[in-house]
Amino acid sequence: MRYSIGPEVLRDLNLHLPPGSFHFLTGPSGAGKTSLLKLLYLAHRPSRGLITMFDHDISTTKRQQLPALRRRIGVVFQEFRLLDHLSALDNVALPLRIAGAREDQIREHVAELLSWVGLADHINARPATLSGGEKQRVAIARAVIGRPSLLLADEPTGNVDPEMGMRLMHLFLELNKIGTTVVIATHDQTLIDSIDKPVLRLHDGEISLARAGTA
Amino acid sequence: MLVRRYDLQLDRDPSGRFLPWVVGVMVFLGALALAGAMALNQSVLAWNRSVEGTLTVQVGDNLAPDAADRVTKAVAVLRSVAGIREARALSRTEVERLLEPWLGKGNIAADLPLPDLIDVRLAPGVRLDIKALTARLGEAVPGARIDDNRQWLARLITLARAMQGLAAGIVGLVVIATVTMVIFATRAGLAVHHEVIEVVHLIGARDAYIARQFQAHTLNLALGGGIPGFLAAMGVLITLGNLIEALQAPLLPRLALDPVGLAALIAVPVAAALLATWTARFTVLRRLRQMV
């Protein structure tokens, strides 16, 4: 893929993520990790090539069908991208509200998940009053609240202490156990080393399997 | 409400703050223009009714030696014309009364020459050839003139129609200005909230979900301006109407509001609000279509 008329950021990638798999995505800065994730969370369409997702060819899928696909994807953005004017609860509830879930169910689920990530006391806090690590947990909660089929996380543990980092990784592993395909882009070698999962390595716009792990 | 809550914080957004003012002024102008056009229309209908099927014939002045004879002859000629239902000479008293508004009551000297007038009523639906009638009348009574009331009324009606055209033009400009302002405000809102819109979009919101928030916000703004604008216009119309009533001038348009007129005026802020809402929707959907 390329941005506008710029050089191709990613090329000749050949990659298959089996449903229910768990992969780390690593590589030096600027290698295209975020670009690859953007393709996967449907923020971009490839300039050429084929992406098939949930049995849809993304280049030919009608625009009106994309929201339904996006609702099956949970994304933890690198910069969190929380809505500053909404409380932690409302931020996490957003995917459910957009999907049209019932309000009484929303509150219960969201409060439960927020306490699971250690934010029970911050349910009504605005992102501006939260620390970096707390924001990150809100962002993760928002990504997983809809039990996505595919979870994409861009440096999801960058702002939390190692203990909370492991706790969040276990949340991802739990989701993976119940069938969610997980891709985690990270630089954190300790994190990668601590979990025996396949590692994809992006370098100069090309991808390779750096470690097989036990998918 | 269109939406139960805003994900986009549009109500805290300065880009739309001028919109109620614009819509208010536009509704005010639009309502006044519409009221003016409706009042003129009523007047034109009333004027038409009042002169429909009438002519006035003038046969020289009443101090001429053969005055009575000329009048009798003219009346006889007129009565013989097919299509004329009635021809009646006006008495001096009646003619004096017609002049009273200009000369005042009792100020008309007995030796002041006044025209002898014949009031002619036509059978319903008849249109006479005024030229032929004038020629025929001239043979019998040299110097007799026919005032076709239509002639001066036609000019008045042309003027009234031109003013109605102007009113329609004003309403058209008001629509264009409102649409333009809403497009600008909505685009500004889209730019300000670009980040949030992108997140909501990536989380799986459909375009209509995002558009609804802009629609609800714009509807609030438009009603917030449109209702005061409408009330101000009503205040002006009622005041003007009272002033015109006080003049008791029959030719001036009357601004009295019948139920239909009132309904039409109430429709102005409603139409403005709907127009603004749909413009916002259209603008948002168009812009969102540029996203993947």
Side-chain angles (χ1 to χ4, degrees):
Chain A
M1 74 161 280
R2 62 172 84 231
Y3 292 100
S4 182
I5 53 165
E8 276 194 320
V9 185
L10 300 171
R11 61 179 180 277
D12 302 336
L13 291 192
N14 209 335
L15 159 73
H16 175 63
L17 299 171
S21 64
F22 190 117
H23 288 86
F24 286 108
L25 177 64
T26 186
S29 299
K33 293 194 296 292
T34 301
S35 295
L36 178 58
L37 288 181
K38 278 183 177 171
L39 285 173
L40 293 177
Y41 62 69
L42 306 177
H44 290 292
R45 295 206 206 212
S47 355
R48 60 189 177 91
L50 179 73
I51 295 184
T52 308
M53 226 174 193
F54 312 125
D55 300 325
H56 285 77
D57 174 1
I58 297 308
S59 346
T60 58
T61 301
K62 287 210 177 81
R63 198 179 165 275
Q64 302 92 287
Q65 293 178 301
L66 293 179
L69 298 184
R70 289 194 181 102
R71 288 176 194 178
R72 300 176 64 183
I73 306 171
V75 188
V76 184
F77 298 101
Q78 195 169 16
E79 338 74 85
F80 319 135
R81 304 186 77 168
L82 300 174
L83 308 197
D84 289 333
H85 60 284
L86 296 183
S87 66
L89 182 103
D90 285 334
N91 262 293
V92 176
L94 199 56
L96 300 179
R97 291 204 168 111
I98 285 173
R102 277 176 37 207
E103 205 60 30
D104 51 336
Q105 295 177 345
I106 289 176
R107 214 194 137 80
E108 194 185 326
H109 277 97
V110 172
E112 193 184 334
L113 181 60
L114 276 173
S115 58
W116 203 90
V117 295
L119 291 173
D121 298 337
H122 295 86
I123 277 180
N124 293 312
R126 300 283 161 108
T129 65
L130 297 175
S131 72
E134 287 164 342
K135 279 189 219 174
Q136 192 152 35
R137 283 179 273 157
V138 175
I140 289 169
R142 183 178 69 185
V144 302
I145 187 74
R147 300 231 177 129
S149 311
L150 172 63
L151 180 79
L152 304 166
D154 204 351
E155 303 283 356
T157 55
N159 286 276
V160 291
D161 57 56
E163 196 188 331
M164 182 48 82
M166 279 316 293
R167 197 178 155 91
L168 293 175
M169 285 313 298
H170 280 113
L171 174 61
F172 296 147
L173 288 167
E174 287 300 317
L175 271 172
N176 179 237
K177 269 188 199 149
I178 59 169
T180 300
T181 311
V182 179
V183 177
I184 293 174
T186 183
H187 274 112
D188 187 345
Q189 198 56 45
T190 351
L191 188 76
I192 296 173
D193 291 343
S194 64
I195 293 167
D196 182 26
K197 290 290 179 188
V199 178
L200 298 166
R201 185 175 164 77
L202 259 179
H203 189 74
D204 283 344
E206 288 171 27
I207 204 160
S208 57
L209 191 62
R211 184 182 83 190
T214 50
Chain B
M1 271 306 278
L2 275 160
V3 285
R4 46 191 177 196
R5 42 185 293 289
Y6 291 118
D7 301 330
L8 314 182
Q9 206 179 20
L10 295 169
D11 46 343
R12 293 276 184 82
D13 171 2
S15 60
R17 239 167 241 171
F18 66 94
L19 208 54
W21 291 96
V22 173
V23 175
V25 170
M26 293 304 159
V27 166
F28 178 76
L29 293 175
L32 288 188
L34 182 65
M38 289 191 304
L40 280 171
N41 205 37
Q42 296 281 336
S43 298
V44 167
L45 290 177
W47 296 335
N48 261 331
R49 264 199 305 275
S50 66
V51 299
E52 186 105 65
T54 69
L55 298 173
T56 307
V57 176
Q58 196 182 323
V59 281
D61 72 74
N62 61 343
L63 296 182
D66 57 345
D69 188 33
R70 288 162 61 99
V71 170
T72 320
K73 264 192 199 159
V75 169
V77 169
L78 288 167
R79 283 188 179 155
S80 71
V81 174
I84 290 184
R85 207 180 58 195
E86 195 194 333
R88 187 180 65 86
L90 265 61
S91 67
R92 179 166 170 102
T93 335
E94 282 173 304
V95 176
E96 276 180 13
R97 201 179 299 139
L98 288 176
L99 291 173
E100 262 169 25
W102 286 272
L103 301 178
K105 199 174 166 78
N107 286 338
I108 299 169
D111 56 354
L112 181 72
L114 295 179
D116 272 323
L117 299 177
I118 301 168
D119 184 28
V120 178
R121 309 221 157 237
L122 306 178
V126 171
R127 305 215 85 181
L128 287 182
D129 180 350
I130 301 296
K131 260 191 193 153
L133 184 61
T134 309
R136 199 168 147 190
L137 204 56
E139 275 170 31
V141 188
R145 273 178 41 209
I146 298 178
D147 269 344
D148 181 357
N149 297 319
R150 272 174 214 289
Q151 280 174 3
W152 66 265
L153 190 65
R155 281 181 220 130
L156 200 57
I157 290 176
T158 308
L159 177 68
R161 293 292 179 214
M163 287 173 71
Q164 280 183 312
L166 184 68
I170 290 175
V171 171
L173 287 176
V174 160
V175 168
I176 292 171
T178 308
V179 167
T180 311
M181 287 302 172
V182 172
I183 289 176
F184 275 117
T186 307
R187 284 196 184 159
L190 283 165
V192 169
H193 299 283
H194 175 78
E195 262 290 315
V196 175
I197 289 170
E198 196 176 83
V199 171
V200 173
H201 175 74
L202 289 176
I203 288 176
R206 296 186 186 282
D207 293 353
Y209 178 92
I210 296 168
R212 268 202 298 278
Q213 309 209 10
F214 277 90
Q215 282 168 252
H217 178 59
T218 308
L219 181 64
N220 281 342
L221 292 179
L223 287 178
I227 291 171
F230 168 73
L231 293 177
M234 289 305 288
V236 168
L237 287 174
I238 290 169
T239 311
L240 267 183
N242 289 340
L243 290 177
I244 289 175
E245 285 299 305
L247 275 179
Q248 296 194 322
L251 272 182
L252 276 181
R254 296 195 48 223
L255 288 168
L257 290 170
D258 52 18
V260 177
L262 191 63
L265 288 181
I266 291 174
V268 172
V270 175
L274 289 178
L275 179 71
T277 306
W278 282 96
T279 305
R281 177 184 172 80
F282 182 74
T283 311
V284 172
L285 289 181
R286 236 172 83 125
R287 184 53 60 94
L288 289 180
R289 246 174 261 134
Q290 294 167 7
M291 295 170 85
V292 173

